[in-house]
Amino acid sequence: MITVDNLSLQYGSQVLFSGADLQFTAGNCYGIIGANGAGKSTFLKILAGDIEPTKGHVYIDPKCRMSVLRQDQNMYDDYAVLDTIIMGNPRLYECGKEKDAIYEKEDFSDEDGIRAAELEEEFAELGGWEAESDASRLLQGLGIPVSLHNKQMPELEGRQKVKVLLAQALFGHPDIILMDEPTNNLDLASTVWLEDFLMDYEGTVLVVSHDRYFLNNICTHIVDIDYGKIRMYVGNYDFWYESSQLMQKLVKDQNKKAEQKIAELQAFIQRFSANKSKSRQATSRRKLLDKITVEQMPASSRRYPWVGFKAAREPGKDRLFVTNLSKTVDGEKLINNVSFIMNREDKIAFISSNENAITCMFELLAGELEPDEGEIKWGVSTTQSYFPRDFDSYFNGCELELMDWMRQFSEDKRESYLRSFLGRMLFSGDDVYKHVNVLSGGEKVRCMISKMMLEGSNVLMLDQPTNHLDLESIAALNNGLSAFPFNILFYSHDHQLTETVANRIIELTPDGCIDRMCTYDEYMHMMGRDVNEITE
């Protein structure tokens, strides 16, 4: 359906990629991966026709309808929710509006009748009579209740708008779907629903995502943008990762053997070149040496951070006691009579159909909110580090350079000491003198993780820490949390992180909580339901 021929893109002297020859066909899902700045989103924009390449062409079957996930949440603020979704099929939407406008005319002519009949036929062929019910099903699948379906877009929260735009991209059976980070701001239940939808989808999907579990579940191919090239591999993300690691190891081993052979030949030549009886052998060795080349592995654009949390002291037996906790915010009861005790080995993942309830729980545990009822008691030997869902208050209006920003949270003010933490999260050289108010979302998250590593706490609390992070940083955070020997309380949209880190699940419900000692997947199996049911 899509053919890419000799595609190149260059900004000034920077070449993002060149000479790309690819073909994307129906029935396949292509995961586009690469480091931040490699050109993933830009590549999608070229395919969508929003950006012109420096060189090469993109050919798309003119009979195919392409749908693109839009990123501007306020783009449709003049429209109703259902209308916004139906606009995902522009011709259907235009047909319906023109038809309605004709019927509203007071002076309805014969020509209007003929045109209306034509539109009625086209409207029916495009599925117009089922459009609203189809749109409603998409919304319900993504966790938007029916009570919001006839609202105007400005009445929805930001996260709800994101889901509406996703429903718009999926609406009306498009032949091609282009999606950039579709799981951003999606809860786990909505992400699983989207996985199921895409696995049953018969068209062509191209998706940029930092969610490893999502890519593994939906992808038939991986498109890797690295080394200034775009290469396609058959298989999901894990297959690509394991294959790429094996390939790099084989190349390194091959290079090492070649270097050893070169060293042996050079030593032989040096030793015997002045010896007449050996000069013929030395000459033959020199000819052989000229034929041996060490393949230079191209420098990858990927950068791998290192996350490691070390507690300044070990906590005692008593960790955390939550008793009959309740909290109402803006008239909504988010926490209702919740009680639990955190034990020594617990790594607790909170889940809920209401993300605000989880954030409220973290704010209560962090002391940022006072409970209406109940009590929170931390063990006297515990120290807590908190990664909030909304961390903008740490950066907005702050004129400090990154080094001075970190210095606020450290008793040791030495630059060399602070650099050791920033460097692990890829802030090196002059990067540490950037002003924090101009950092990107991903850089701010890495700052917050650096701060948590610096604090040396023995209890970690994290509310959606993987937002804005690339695949390499998410994997590093996953490894760091898995290796941490003490308590963690967290909530994440990343299924793989939740599954591999948590050994206890607490689901916050309107009636209290459900508490089980198990992994996330075991919890869903134990409860006898699919993850989608969390939204019901």
Side-chain angles (χ1 to χ4, degrees):
M1 286 190 174
I2 305 176
T3 300
V4 174
D5 179 26
N6 195 31
L7 196 71
S8 300
L9 185 68
Q10 182 172 348
Y11 292 118
S13 60
Q14 181 188 12
V15 178
L16 282 182
F17 42 79
S18 62
D21 294 305
L22 304 161
Q23 194 161 36
F24 303 96
T25 57
N28 290 319
C29 180
Y30 301 86
I32 302 173
I33 63 172
N36 284 344
K40 305 183 295 295
S41 298
T42 303
F43 179 62
L44 279 189
K45 289 178 181 177
I46 290 175
L47 299 182
D50 296 333
I51 294 178
E52 286 294 324
T54 305
K55 186 179 179 182
H57 301 280
V58 174
Y59 302 97
I60 298 175
D61 186 339
K63 297 178 183 178
C64 293
R65 182 170 73 83
M66 177 185 288
S67 184
V68 180
L69 173 59
R70 299 300 174 187
Q71 304 294 324
D72 185 355
Q73 296 181 15
N74 301 318
M75 185 175 179
Y76 298 93
D77 276 358
D78 293 335
Y79 300 93
V81 170
L82 288 178
D83 281 348
T84 299
I85 295 173
I86 295 171
M87 289 169 76
N89 185 339
R91 181 54 202 153
L92 172 60
Y93 181 77
E94 292 164 6
C95 183
K97 288 299 178 184
E98 184 181 353
K99 178 172 65 74
D100 292 343
I102 290 175
Y103 288 138
E104 289 174 1
K105 283 186 173 183
E106 293 183 1
D107 52 343
F108 191 88
S109 64
D110 291 342
E111 290 78 8
D112 290 331
I114 295 171
R115 179 57 180 161
E118 293 172 349
L119 290 170
E120 288 285 7
E121 183 178 359
E122 184 179 4
F123 186 76
E125 289 176 355
L126 293 171
W129 297 115
E130 299 82 33
E132 289 195 1
S133 59
D134 289 346
S136 182
R137 275 194 293 272
L138 290 172
L139 287 173
Q140 291 179 68
L142 289 167
I144 301 293
V146 175
S147 59
L148 297 179
H149 292 188
N150 292 307
K151 299 287 187 181
Q152 294 296 117
M153 285 292 286
E155 298 180 63
L156 271 58
E157 298 175 356
R159 293 172 186 274
Q160 294 169 335
K161 288 184 179 181
V162 168
K163 292 182 177 182
V164 172
L165 294 180
L166 180 55
Q168 181 193 72
L170 305 177
F171 175 77
H173 310 290
D175 301 293
I176 301 167
I177 302 177
L178 306 184
M179 295 187 291
D180 191 354
E181 296 294 354
T183 61
N184 272 7
N185 296 313
L186 284 190
D187 52 78
L188 287 168
S190 299
T191 300
V192 172
W193 179 89
L194 178 60
E195 290 171 6
D196 292 339
F197 182 95
L198 294 177
M199 284 190 282
D200 292 336
Y201 176 71
E202 297 179 352
T204 305
V205 179
L206 285 83
V207 57
V208 172
S209 178
H210 291 148
D211 188 325
R212 299 159 294 167
Y213 190 88
F214 179 70
L215 291 175
N216 280 330
N217 280 346
I218 67 168
C219 288
T220 59
H221 298 73
I222 292 294
V223 178
D224 183 31
I225 304 181
D226 201 1
Y227 310 117
K229 300 292 183 181
I230 305 180
R231 297 181 176 90
M232 184 184 295
Y233 303 87
V234 175
N236 63 11
Y237 176 78
D238 277 352
F239 185 83
W240 166 85
Y241 180 78
E242 292 172 11
S243 300
S244 66
Q245 293 299 301
L246 177 60
M247 184 60 68
Q248 291 213 12
K249 184 179 184 300
L250 291 174
V251 173
K252 285 179 180 178
D253 290 345
Q254 181 182 347
N255 289 349
K256 186 175 181 180
K257 290 178 182 178
E259 288 170 346
Q260 290 173 346
K261 188 65 175 177
I262 288 171
E264 292 171 4
L265 292 171
Q266 287 174 332
F268 183 92
I269 292 167
Q270 184 176 5
R271 183 179 177 186
F272 294 108
S273 59
N275 187 326
K276 290 184 179 179
S277 64
K278 298 285 186 179
S279 61
R280 182 174 296 178
Q281 287 176 276
T283 300
S284 66
R285 296 292 196 281
R286 187 177 290 109
K287 290 179 180 179
L288 180 59
L289 180 63
D290 290 339
K291 294 179 181 179
I292 296 178
T293 60
V294 177
E295 182 179 347
Q296 295 297 317
M297 292 186 69
S300 173
S301 58
R302 287 179 170 83
R303 301 174 68 200
Y304 294 87
W306 184 87
V307 177
F309 300 100
K310 293 184 178 180
R313 63 172 179 172
E314 183 172 342
K317 179 180 178 181
D318 294 338
R319 303 296 173 87
L320 172 64
F321 301 86
V322 174
T323 308
N324 301 327
L325 198 67
S326 295
K327 182 65 179 179
T328 298
V329 178
D330 296 330
E332 181 182 8
K333 196 159 195 176
L334 297 177
I335 306 296
N336 183 20
N337 196 30
V338 171
S339 298
F340 65 89
I341 298 172
M342 185 168 72
N343 305 306
R344 286 190 176 188
E345 306 298 327
D346 288 351
K347 294 184 177 181
I348 299 171
F350 290 110
I351 63 174
S352 178
S353 61
N354 187 348
E355 290 188 342
N356 291 332
I358 297 175
T359 295
C360 180
M361 174 59 77
F362 278 118
E363 290 174 344
L364 289 165
L365 295 174
E368 295 184 357
L369 288 177
E370 289 293 327
D372 298 333
E373 299 174 26
E375 183 183 20
I376 296 171
K377 184 179 179 181
W378 287 100
V380 294
S381 62
T382 63
T383 53
Q384 303 87 38
S385 285
Y386 175 42
F387 183 106
R389 184 171 89 177
D390 183 0
F391 47 77
D392 285 343
S393 61
Y394 285 85
F395 301 97
N396 288 350
C398 182
E399 300 294 334
L400 293 176
E401 294 177 347
L402 179 50
M403 180 64 68
D404 292 329
W405 185 87
M406 281 288 287
R407 200 170 268 125
Q408 301 175 98
F409 310 107
S410 177
E411 293 182 4
D412 190 333
K413 308 295 183 182
R414 291 173 300 152
E415 182 167 320
S416 58
Y417 178 74
L418 298 173
R419 273 187 179 273
S420 67
F421 291 94
L422 291 170
R424 294 169 192 170
M425 294 306 292
L426 307 180
F427 295 106
S428 58
D430 290 339
D431 288 344
V432 300
Y433 303 119
K434 281 183 178 181
H435 284 82
V436 296
N437 57 358
V438 300
L439 297 176
S440 68
E443 288 174 325
K444 289 177 180 177
V445 172
R446 287 190 276 121
C447 281
M448 295 296 293
I449 295 173
S450 296
K451 168 183 170 292
M452 293 184 73
M453 289 193 290
L454 173 70
E455 289 170 337
S457 299
N458 52 36
V459 178
L460 306 178
M461 298 190 294
L462 305 99
D463 188 2
Q464 301 184 32
T466 59
N467 288 354
H468 306 291
L469 290 182
D470 58 20
L471 282 165
E472 292 72 38
S473 298
I474 292 172
L477 177 62
N478 200 153
N479 293 337
L481 293 177
S482 296
F484 186 65
F486 304 121
N487 294 117
I488 303 173
L489 302 100
F490 73 101
Y491 169 59
S492 174
H493 294 150
D494 190 286
H495 187 120
Q496 188 164 334
L497 186 146
T498 304
E499 169 62 17
T500 56
V501 173
N503 59 17
R504 180 177 178 182
I505 306 297
I506 296 180
E507 181 177 355
L508 302 177
T509 71
D511 299 321
C513 70
I514 303 171
D515 188 351
R516 296 290 186 273
M517 293 296 302
C518 60
T519 67
Y520 177 69
D521 286 347
E522 287 171 345
Y523 176 79
M524 300 315 300
H525 178 72
M526 186 186 304
M527 299 303 290
R529 58 192 168 113
D530 187 85
V531 68
N532 285 308
E533 295 182 30
I534 292 179
T535 63
E536 295 180 0

